[in-house]
């Protein structure tokens, strides 16, 4: 789900429900249900999505593709927004056949999409078959790939923007680490192909149970913490572990800050976070075994402490 409360499902006609939140403000949840398939506006095993400039990108494992949809009140439409970078783009597009094998996560930087792919079958380096496929956000054409020979099973992905440039943070649940790829200088106006030689690589963590180590990390998100947390360089990383069954907070250098264990000790999947004006960070994480979501309210002003997780959302 994203900022407009719009989602894509696969089990029936669309419907919307209006409700009032605790402050009495009207909100709306709109479910746009698509049929299962491989055609336009159909989905098969969706694994991740991204909202950008009023456009939704959906990653599908079953169809090995990325779809770009523009969602209206009644479902995917051809209407164009009044502004935004993608205003002139067609309402629907998909990545080319064969561009992806087993895609998982997606993020964006500038006008590029970065999609993790956990299986590049048939490559010479089959021991480390993972990669990040770089797509043009407008045409969905492949413009490069990253991480060849460095990734085994890349899953969640996020962008960390710093003054010296941007890094792509990839959770590799096969190598039990975070792989940080420098993308600050990877793209030029000439739109030259992107390859691994464009930037540096640094690794955070290794397999283990101690803070700062991982057991099958699958989700990663960047939390912005404001001036009050200058010691953390204004940002931190949140990482969810499938087999480790916990969420860790790390500095952008990989220094452990805190470890959170949601109730139930279930295996965890992807996560996201947002920051309130008072500096509190809300982290949402998917529970694979209990089929629910957990939220953690992280108080960075108290030395990165988390309140008792609120009841799980099913």
């Amino acid at each position: 789900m994203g900022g407009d409360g719009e989602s894509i499902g696969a089990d029936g006609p669309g419907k919307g429900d209006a409700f009032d939140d605790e402050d009495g403000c009207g909100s709306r949840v709109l479910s746009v249900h698509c049929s299962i398939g491989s055609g336009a506006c159909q989905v098969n095993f969706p694994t991740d999505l991204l909202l950008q400039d009023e456009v939704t990108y959906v990653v599908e494992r079953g169809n090995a593709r990325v779809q770009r949809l523009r969602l209206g009140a009644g479902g995917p439409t051809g209407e164009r927004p009044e502004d935004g970078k993608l205003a002139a783009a067609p309402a629907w597009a998909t990545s080319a056949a064969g561009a992806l094998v087993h895609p998982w996560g997606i993020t964006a930087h500038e006008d590029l999409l970065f999609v993790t792919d956990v299986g590049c079958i048939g490559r010479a380096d089959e021991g480390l078959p993972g990669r990040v496929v770089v797509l043009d956000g407008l045409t969905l054409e492949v413009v490069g790939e990253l991480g060849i020979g460095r990734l085994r099973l890349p899953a969640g992905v996020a962008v960390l923007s710093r003054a010296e440039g941007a890094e792509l943070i990839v959770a590799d649940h096969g190598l039990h680490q975070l792989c940080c790829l420098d993308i600050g200088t990877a793209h030029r106006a000439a739109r030259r192909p992107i390859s691994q030689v464009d930037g540096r690589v640094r690794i955070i963590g290794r397999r283990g149970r101690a803070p700062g180590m991982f057991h099958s990390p699958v989700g990663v998100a960047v939390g912005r913490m404001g001036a009050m947390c200058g010691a953390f360089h204004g940002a931190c990383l949140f990482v969810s572990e499938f087999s480790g069954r916990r969420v860790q907070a790390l500095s952008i250098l990989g220094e452990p800050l805190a470890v959170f264990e949601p109730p139930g000790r279930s295996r965890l999947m992807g996560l996201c976070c947002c920051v309130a004006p008072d500096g509190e960070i809300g982290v949402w994480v998917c529970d694979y075994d209990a089929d629910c979501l957990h939220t953690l309210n992280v108080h960075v002003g108290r030395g990165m402490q988390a309140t008792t997780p609120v009841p799980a959302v099913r």
Side-chain angles (χ1 to χ4, degrees), residues 15 27 45 67 69 96 106 119 155 164 177 192 195 211 217 222 227 271 305 312:
K15 61 180 180 180
S27 301
F45 198 169
Q67 274 195 91
L69 307 172
I106 186 172
E164 56 269 35
Q177 63 188 22
R192 61 186 175 84
S195 65
V222 176
L271 82 169
Q305 298 296 316

Side-chain angles (χ1 to χ4, degrees), residues 130-149:
R131 61 176 178 168
V132 177
V133 179
V134 188
L135 304 176
D136 183 295
L138 182 64
T139 65
L140 296 187
E141 295 178 352
V142 176
V143 296
E145 55 186 17
L146 299 169
I148 297 298

Side-chain angles (χ1 to χ4, degrees), residues 196-215:
Q196 189 56 59
V197 299
D198 289 312
R200 299 177 301 277
V201 177
R202 66 186 179 103
I203 301 299
I204 294 177
R206 56 189 174 87
R207 183 169 185 169
R209 286 289 302 167
M213 303 170 71
F214 308 110
H215 195 181

Side-chain angles (χ1 to χ4, degrees), residues 16-265:
D17 297 312
F19 63 94
D20 290 332
D21 58 23
E22 295 178 355
D23 298 324
C25 299
S27 301
R28 181 169 62 103
V29 176
L30 175 64
S31 295
V32 181
H33 297 280
C34 302
S35 60
I36 298 176
S38 58
C41 306
Q42 294 182 315
V43 295
N44 187 354
F45 198 169
T47 57
D48 201 2
L49 57 80
L50 171 71
L51 296 185
Q52 187 179 44
D53 292 336
E54 302 184 43
V55 169
T56 302
Y57 296 95
V58 183
V59 179
E60 301 173 67
R61 179 77 61 84
N63 287 325
R65 69 179 182 179
V66 173
Q67 274 195 91
R68 186 182 67 235
L69 307 172
R70 182 167 295 122
L71 301 181
T77 73
E79 298 176 1
R80 296 179 178 178
E82 295 180 358
D83 53 17
K85 297 178 184 178
L86 298 173
W92 178 83
T94 183
S95 55
L100 301 166
V101 181
H102 296 296
W104 186 315
I106 186 172
T107 192
H109 178 61
E110 297 178 348
D111 58 347
L112 296 176
L113 302 176
F114 297 86
V115 182
T116 56
D117 193 334
V118 302
C120 303
I121 300 173
R123 301 190 66 94
D125 49 347
E126 290 182 358
L128 293 171
R131 61 176 178 168
V132 177
V133 179
V134 188
L135 304 176
D136 183 295
L138 182 64
T139 65
L140 296 187
E141 295 178 352
V142 176
V143 296
E145 55 186 17
L146 299 169
I148 297 298
R150 297 183 180 273
L151 300 170
R152 178 166 295 160
L153 297 174
V157 60
V159 171
L160 174 63
S161 297
R162 298 195 284 174
E164 56 269 35
E167 277 187 314
L168 199 67
I169 313 297
V170 182
D172 191 323
H173 71 103
L175 295 178
H176 309 283
Q177 63 188 22
L178 301 182
C179 183
C180 308
L181 307 172
D182 181 7
I183 58 172
T185 59
H187 182 49
R188 293 287 186 266
R191 308 198 65 78
R192 61 186 175 84
I194 297 174
S195 65
Q196 189 56 59
V197 299
D198 289 312
R200 299 177 301 277
V201 177
R202 66 186 179 103
I203 301 299
I204 294 177
R206 56 189 174 87
R207 183 169 185 169
R209 286 289 302 167
M213 303 170 71
F214 308 110
H215 195 181
S216 301
V218 289
V220 61
V222 176
R224 297 291 172 183
M225 299 183 293
M228 63 181 296
C229 296
F232 301 148
H233 305 278
C236 70
L237 305 177
F238 290 96
V239 182
S240 56
E241 300 173 62
F242 184 76
S243 299
R245 304 170 189 245
R246 63 184 179 176
V247 175
Q248 291 197 61
L250 310 169
S251 76
I252 62 174
L253 301 178
E255 304 159 330
L257 302 177
V259 176
F260 313 117
E261 295 185 347
R265 296 289 292 134

